[in-house]
């Protein structure tokens, strides 16, 4: 008998092999590692995929609407993934002799689909009936052994497969067809090929951000005043009215209180309990990591996934705030105690050891928690996330904290003022988690008694009302969860795609002109596409597939009907849409004005990379090079008025015009030879990093060389000629 275990990633395959055997034999085939073990008299081969091995592809790209799809090897749709073929070949090799299969990919809809596709497409449809599913939430030896011993038939998870496949098909149909329709509309209206991107969740997300952008732009600030009284020892009291919008009223209060002392009329002290925290699920972990370290949700998710793969923490893509006793929580605390910094906290815990849990549950996984396996050789960022998870885990076994607050009411010639202070009265769980401790106010209380007088100096502060706050990457992920858009596993990536597409920018998310105009255009002609209602409806349907309330085919057919209506609307307004989208695209490329009166625009070079050139080309041939990975900033150069660019690692700022950046030094343009690539003249030019050799055929030819390398090559050439 032979058994084949398929994991999601190579690291997981290694952990499964070492969990099931003390002496697995590691080998490789086509540079793909696999492990062989003997168990219960049979040979077991353990190997892995590398995430998705298959992707969707339109069956016939010549069709006007790409509704018929098929699964094909990933390397057929993404040429950068050629290495995937070796993994497919390796699975195929060992599947031939296997009579039992184990699906050991991540236990969620995505992981279930990854393993299912590998089995069905590589091992054959008949393999599904011979396949059993391992279910685990942590990659510890105990968890993996238990998952193997309790493996159940994969057919029991068919609804998970159907839900995962339906999500991929819906995302493909909407993304490919809407993007194609927008591109075709620009070709028809402007005879230009511009690739724009839309998506089932991506576009409503951009619409939410655009709505906030418009609120900010139309906001008209209103002046208001705050009245404050400066008291001894740096204490500042506020007038009870707070914001005052009438300047005459402000002047009257200032006049009335000028030169008068403050009388302490009342001191109110209170104590209140601060409830224990609950364990992390993915959303709260992402939110806390952003607040503590400024990590984007996508970065936090990637780090948490790495910690899970290494066996240090549990599966991160969970919605649960529950930690069942079956996890062996006392033993996890015992293992964590081997690290002195955690032991010092754990030793403060009092019996009974019972976690405080939240209300949210997840059918597949518990809350995020450390496994008890202490990490080694973590990067600084990985250590931060691990500490965040571990200290939170320890703190949920603690006691409630207690806060003490004081409110002091004052009277200054009949005008009411007050101030408040807060401090920790009993540390409780706050002593167990430094991250939560530093978020709490712990202020000094001034020594005051009722009916005493204090010197006071009253002043006014003028301010303006502020527009709605911009979303950041953490708050928009929260908003998507609140509105039921996307999933815990996809939301961070959706936001990251908007940045990649240049539809948004900045830590405080600002929608670009292109992103805003694209949503405006789609709203005008196809509002259903930008509406979150349709996306939310399909999210519900996808959950109902999983719960066996509706079938995959029903949802996909419904999506095609919906998509047909959207595409018909776009077709009916094709030229208008194309004209407006192209105008928005052109506007988004403008970075400044050229001396000739034309616009300076960002241009993609046919040979790769980008540069800035004049829109009046070929009449004006003004160009500015852009270093690889450069970003053009809104900030203008104080000397010449051109925009600044950000480039390099670490990031540097300089003027777009490298001559200006180099203090006015200009290229000599001395001809020094012929270009080895195109035969045009080579000249001495001035760049951001000093003088270099460049080809006069730029931007068609991008050959460059440092002065030192060029002179060395010339000497070598002359030496060989003399011989």
């Amino acid at each position: 008998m032979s058994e084949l275990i398929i994991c999601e990633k190579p690291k997981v395959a290694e952990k499964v092999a070492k969990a099931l055997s003390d002496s697995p034999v590691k080998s490789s085939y086509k540079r793909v590692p696999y492990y062989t073990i003997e168990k219960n008299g049979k040979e077991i081969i353990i190997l892995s995929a590398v995430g998705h091995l298959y992707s969707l592809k339109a069956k016939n790209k010549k069709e006007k609407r790409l509704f018929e799809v098929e699964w094909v090897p990933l390397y057929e749709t993404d040429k950068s993934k050629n290495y995937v073929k070796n993994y497919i070949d390796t699975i195929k090799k060992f599947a031939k002799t296997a009579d039992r299969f184990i699906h050991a990919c991540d236990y969620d809809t995505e992981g279930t689909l990854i393993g299912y596709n590998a089995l069905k497409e590589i091992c054959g449809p008949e393999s599904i009936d011979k396949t059993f599913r391992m279910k685990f939430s942590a990659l510890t030896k105990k968890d993996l052994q238990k998952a193997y011993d309790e493996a159940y038939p994969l057919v029991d998870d068919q609804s998970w497969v159907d839900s995962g496949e339906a999500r991929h098909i819906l995302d493909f149909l909407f993304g490919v067809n809407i993007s194609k329709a927008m591109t075709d509309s620009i070709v028809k209206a402007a005879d230009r090929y511009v690739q724009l991107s839309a998506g089932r969740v991506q576009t409503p997300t951009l619409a939410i951000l655009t709505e906030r952008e418009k609120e900010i732009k139309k906001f008209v600030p209103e002046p208001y005043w705050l009245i404050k009284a400066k008291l001894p020892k740096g204490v500042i009291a506020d007038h009870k009215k707070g914001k005052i919008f009438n300047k005459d009223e402000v002047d009257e209060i200032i006049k009335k209180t000028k030169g008068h002392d403050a009388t302490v009329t009342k001191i109110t002290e209170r104590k209140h309990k601060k409830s224990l925290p609950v364990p992390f699920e993915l959303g709260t972990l992402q939110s806390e990591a952003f607040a503590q370290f400024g990590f984007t949700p996508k970065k936090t998710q990637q780090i948490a996934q790495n910690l899970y793969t290494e066996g240090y923490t549990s599966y991160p893509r969970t919605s649960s705030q529950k930690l069942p006793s079956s996890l062996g929580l006392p033993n996890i605390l015992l293992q964590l105690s081997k690290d002195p910094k955690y032991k010092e906290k754990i030793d403060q815990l009092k019996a009974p050891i019972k976690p405080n849990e939240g209300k949210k549950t997840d059918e597949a996984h518990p809350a995020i928690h450390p496994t008890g396996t202490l990490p080694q050789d973590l990067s600084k960022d990985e250590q931060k996330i691990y500490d965040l998870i571990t200290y939170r885990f320890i703190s949920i076994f603690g006691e409630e904290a207690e806060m003490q607050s004081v409110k002091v009411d004052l009277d200054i010639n009949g005008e009411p003022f007050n101030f408040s202070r807060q401090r920790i009265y009993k540390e409780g769980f706050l002593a167990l988690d430094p991250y939560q401790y530093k978020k709490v106010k712990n202020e000094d209380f001034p020594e005051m008694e009722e009916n005493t007088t204090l010197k006071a100096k009253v002043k006014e502060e003028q301010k303006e009302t502020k527009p709605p706050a911009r979303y950041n990457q953490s708050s928009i992920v929260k908003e998507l969860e609140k509105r039921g858009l996307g999933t815990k596993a996809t939301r961070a990536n959706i936001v990251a795609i908007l940045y990649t597409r240049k539809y948004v920018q900045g830590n405080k998310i600002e929608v670009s002109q292109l992103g805003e105009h694209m949503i405006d255009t789609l709203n005008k002609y196809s509002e259903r596409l930008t509406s979150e209602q349709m996306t939310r409806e399909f999210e519900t349907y996808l959950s109902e597939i999983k719960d066996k309330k509706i079938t995959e085919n029903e949802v996909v057919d419904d999506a095609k009907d919906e998509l047909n209506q959207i595409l018909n609307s776009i077709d009916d307004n094709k030229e208008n849409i194309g004209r407006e989208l192209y105008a928005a695209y052109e506007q988004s490329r403008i970075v400044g004005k050229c001396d000739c009166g034309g616009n300076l625009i960002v241009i993609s070079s046919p040979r790769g990379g980008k540069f800035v050139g004049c829109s009046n080309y070929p009449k004006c041939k003004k160009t500015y090079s852009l270093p690889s990975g450069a970003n053009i900033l809104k900030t203008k150069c104080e000397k010449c008025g051109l925009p600044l660019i950000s480039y390099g690692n670490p990031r540097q700022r300089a003027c777009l015009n490298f001559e200006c950046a180099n203090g006015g030094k200009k290229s000599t343009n001395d001809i020094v030879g012929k270009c080895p690539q195109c035969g045009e003249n080579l000249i001495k030019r001035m760049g951001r990093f000093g003088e270099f050799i460049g080809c006069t055929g730029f931007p068609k030819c991008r050959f460059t060389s440092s002065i030192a390398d060029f002179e060395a090559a010339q000497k070598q050439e002359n030496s060989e000629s003399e011989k």
Side-chain angles (χ1 to χ4, degrees):
M1 291 181 67
S2 175
E3 183 173 272
L4 180 62
I5 300 179
I6 300 176
C7 304
E8 191 164 324
K9 292 181 180 177
K11 191 70 179 180
V12 179
E14 179 185 0
K15 288 194 171 294
V16 171
K18 290 180 177 179
L20 301 183
S21 171
D22 292 330
S23 54
V25 178
K26 183 178 181 180
S27 309
S28 67
Y29 176 74
K30 292 191 173 182
R31 292 175 297 185
V32 173
Y34 68 90
Y35 301 84
T36 306
I37 65 173
E38 293 287 334
K39 192 175 179 69
N40 300 329
K42 63 182 174 183
E43 181 184 65
I44 301 176
I45 303 295
I46 305 160
L47 42 68
S48 81
V50 274
H52 282 285
L53 298 178
Y54 287 80
S55 65
L56 288 171
K57 178 182 177 183
K59 285 186 176 180
N60 185 356
K61 286 190 174 181
K62 294 181 180 179
E63 294 286 339
K64 182 180 178 183
R65 294 183 180 176
L66 308 178
F67 280 7
E68 300 306 315
V69 299
E70 60 184 342
W71 289 102
V72 297
L74 184 60
Y75 55 80
E76 289 187 17
T77 59
D78 186 347
K79 299 305 180 186
S80 70
K81 300 289 176 30
N82 284 331
Y83 62 87
V84 165
K85 187 177 190 306
N86 291 342
Y87 284 84
I88 291 176
D89 289 346
T90 302
I91 295 174
K92 188 179 296 183
K93 169 183 169 62
F94 292 105
K96 292 176 182 177
T97 56
D99 50 23
R100 187 173 189 262
F101 300 87
I102 298 289
H103 182 317
C105 297
D106 287 347
Y107 191 72
D108 60 8
T109 52
E110 201 69 10
T112 303
L113 181 63
I114 288 171
Y116 179 87
N117 277 344
L119 288 156
K120 181 183 176 184
E121 301 295 334
I122 303 171
C123 308
E126 65 280 0
S127 68
I128 302 300
D129 292 333
K130 304 175 187 177
T131 300
F132 293 80
R133 180 72 159 112
M134 285 175 64
K135 177 183 177 181
F136 47 86
S137 295
L139 297 175
T140 65
K141 187 169 186 175
K142 178 192 74 172
D143 286 282
L144 293 173
Q145 285 178 338
K146 184 174 185 289
Y148 179 81
D149 293 339
E150 298 178 359
Y152 59 89
L154 177 61
V155 291
D156 292 356
D157 281 348
Q158 186 61 47
S159 65
W160 286 48
V161 174
D162 294 343
S163 178
E165 183 171 65
R167 179 178 295 281
H168 275 262
I169 292 174
L170 262 59
D171 288 344
F172 181 90
L173 293 179
F174 277 86
V176 169
N177 284 285
I178 301 297
S179 299
K180 180 176 181 293
M182 291 194 300
T183 299
D184 289 347
S185 69
I186 293 175
V187 171
K188 183 176 178 67
D191 196 26
R192 294 285 189 276
Y193 180 82
V194 176
Q195 193 169 15
L196 297 178
S197 164
R200 185 179 63 87
V201 185
Q202 174 191 319
T203 301
T205 301
L206 182 58
I208 292 170
L209 292 167
T210 300
E211 181 182 0
R212 177 60 57 88
E213 190 71 34
K214 290 182 179 296
E215 289 175 359
I216 292 170
K217 285 182 177 178
K218 73 179 182 182
F219 180 82
V220 179
E222 185 179 358
Y224 69 89
W225 289 262
L226 298 174
I227 300 177
K228 296 179 178 289
K230 186 177 180 181
L231 306 174
K233 297 185 179 179
V235 176
I236 303 295
D238 299 303
H239 195 283
K240 279 191 176 181
K241 282 197 172 182
K243 295 178 181 179
I244 302 175
F245 291 87
N246 186 324
K247 185 62 168 69
D248 291 339
E249 185 179 358
V250 173
D251 292 341
E252 186 178 332
I253 293 172
I254 294 293
K255 183 179 179 181
K256 184 177 178 182
T257 57
K258 187 175 181 180
H260 290 275
D261 292 338
T263 301
V264 179
T265 58
K266 187 178 181 183
I267 298 176
T268 308
E269 288 193 11
R270 288 192 176 93
K271 291 177 185 174
H272 68 274
K273 302 282 188 183
K274 188 170 180 62
S275 299
L276 283 165
V278 297
F280 281 130
E281 38 85 21
L282 182 59
T284 51
L285 176 63
Q286 289 171 323
S287 177
E288 188 69 5
F290 183 85
Q292 295 287 350
F293 316 123
F295 289 176
T296 64
K298 184 176 182 181
K299 179 175 180 177
T300 298
Q301 187 168 317
Q302 287 173 336
I303 293 174
Q305 183 70 24
N306 291 342
L307 292 173
Y308 158 72
T309 303
E310 293 293 339
Y312 302 140
T313 59
S314 62
Y315 189 69
R317 294 196 288 274
T318 176
S319 299
S320 177
Q321 295 173 327
K322 305 288 186 182
L323 289 173
S325 58
S326 59
L327 294 173
L329 302 176
N331 185 59
I332 293 175
L333 290 168
L334 182 64
Q335 296 301 314
L336 291 173
S337 292
K338 293 177 182 178
D339 186 319
K341 72 178 182 182
Y342 302 136
K343 184 178 189 303
E344 185 260 325
K345 305 295 183 185
I346 293 169
D347 285 349
Q348 299 177 44
L349 299 179
K350 297 178 181 178
I353 300 297
K354 184 180 178 182
N356 186 57
E357 299 177 307
K359 295 180 180 180
K360 295 173 71 174
T361 61
D362 188 305
E363 60 190 320
H365 298 283
I368 301 171
H369 62 277
T371 62
T373 301
L374 293 175
Q376 298 176 350
D377 300 324
L378 293 183
S379 69
K380 287 184 179 180
D381 289 346
E382 287 173 334
Q383 188 66 55
K384 286 177 179 178
I385 296 298
Y386 181 78
D387 283 343
L388 197 64
I389 293 169
T390 302
Y391 283 125
R392 171 62 64 93
F393 174 75
I394 295 170
S395 72
I396 64 175
F397 297 95
E399 298 178 308
E400 286 184 331
E402 197 168 346
M403 305 300 297
Q404 183 181 24
S405 64
V406 62
K407 180 184 176 185
V408 179
D409 292 309
L410 306 113
D411 180 279
I412 305 178
N413 196 26
E415 292 295 330
F417 287 76
N418 62 38
F419 69 90
S420 300
R421 291 287 186 273
Q422 178 179 278
R423 67 185 174 192
I424 299 171
Y425 184 75
K426 177 185 174 184
E427 289 187 336
F429 73 88
L430 293 173
L432 307 176
D433 187 343
Y435 296 108
Q436 293 180 78
Y437 189 97
K438 72 179 184 180
K439 289 167 61 178
V440 175
K441 285 184 179 180
N442 194 22
E443 302 167 307
D444 292 328
F445 282 16
E447 293 183 7
M448 290 184 181
E449 295 181 4
E450 290 184 0
N451 300 318
T452 57
T453 59
L454 304 166
K455 290 290 183 182
K457 188 174 183 180
V458 179
K459 288 187 175 182
E460 64 182 78
E461 289 184 6
Q462 183 175 351
K463 295 182 177 293
E464 286 185 338
T465 54
K466 294 182 178 180
R470 293 189 183 279
Y471 289 104
N472 56 45
Q473 291 197 47
S474 177
S475 61
I476 187 60
V477 167
K478 275 189 195 174
E479 188 69 20
L480 294 178
E481 180 181 7
K482 177 182 170 184
R483 300 192 189 203
L485 303 179
T487 68
K488 54 185 174 286
T490 62
R491 293 180 187 114
N493 194 52
I494 289 163
V495 175
I497 288 172
L498 294 177
Y499 279 91
T500 302
R501 302 293 185 190
K502 305 295 184 184
Y503 295 153
V504 301
Q505 58 198 11
N507 293 326
K508 294 181 179 179
I509 301 176
E510 182 178 353
V511 181
S512 68
Q513 283 187 326
L514 178 60
E516 187 174 336
H517 288 317
M518 190 172 81
I519 292 299
D520 287 345
T521 303
L522 293 175
N523 267 337
K524 189 188 299 184
Y525 300 106
S526 184
E527 190 174 357
R528 183 73 168 154
L529 177 61
T530 60
S531 166
E532 61 192 69
Q533 180 183 348
M534 180 187 70
T535 301
R536 188 162 43 244
E537 288 170 0
F538 278 115
E539 291 295 341
T540 301
Y541 296 153
L542 292 170
S543 295
E544 289 178 347
I545 293 174
K546 202 172 176 181
D547 296 335
K548 302 179 182 179
K549 296 178 181 178
I550 192 171
T551 68
E552 175 187 348
N553 288 337
E554 287 175 308
V555 174
V556 172
D557 288 343
D558 191 13
K560 289 178 180 178
D561 291 340
E562 188 77 56
L563 192 50
N564 264 323
Q565 295 179 44
I566 292 171
L567 293 172
N568 287 340
S569 176
I570 293 176
D571 285 345
D572 291 343
N573 300 279
K574 202 163 200 173
E575 286 203 28
N576 288 336
I577 291 173
R579 189 164 47 250
E580 292 176 32
L581 286 176
Y582 185 68
Y585 170 73
E586 283 291 280
Q587 189 66 29
S588 72
R589 298 165 69 202
I590 298 173
V591 298
K593 276 288 183 184
C594 183
D595 294 338
C596 74
N599 290 318
L600 293 175
I601 59 175
V602 179
I603 301 169
S604 295
S605 170
R607 294 175 176 266
K610 295 181 179 180
F611 64 96
V612 172
C614 182
S615 59
N616 284 338
Y617 179 85
K619 289 182 179 179
C620 177
K621 297 184 178 181
K622 174 76 76 175
T623 61
Y624 299 96
S625 63
L626 285 174
S628 177
N631 292 325
I632 298 175
L633 307 176
K634 288 186 175 181
T635 310
K636 302 296 182 183
C637 175
E638 294 181 358
K639 295 178 183 177
C640 68
L642 288 174
L644 299 182
I645 64 169
S646 168
Y647 66 98
N649 189 17
R651 302 301 281 182
Q652 306 172 56
R653 286 190 171 198
C655 180
L656 174 65
N657 183 350
F658 59 81
E659 291 181 356
C660 179
N662 279 318
K665 293 181 182 178
K666 296 186 177 182
S667 301
T668 63
N669 292 333
D670 294 340
I671 298 174
V672 295
K674 294 293 182 181
C675 177
Q677 291 185 0
C678 71
E680 293 289 332
N681 288 332
L682 292 177
I683 59 174
K684 285 187 176 182
R685 305 183 67 178
M686 184 64 68
R688 288 181 183 83
F689 304 102
E691 199 171 34
F692 70 100
I693 303 298
C695 180
T696 54
F698 179 85
K700 289 183 178 180
C701 178
R702 304 180 77 85
F703 174 82
T704 60
S705 171
S706 69
I707 298 290
D709 287 348
F710 179 77
E711 290 177 348
Q714 289 287 86
K715 286 181 181 179
Q716 179 69 25
E717 186 178 322
N718 292 336
S719 176
E720 290 177 357
S721 297
E722 290 174 1
K723 291 180 181 179

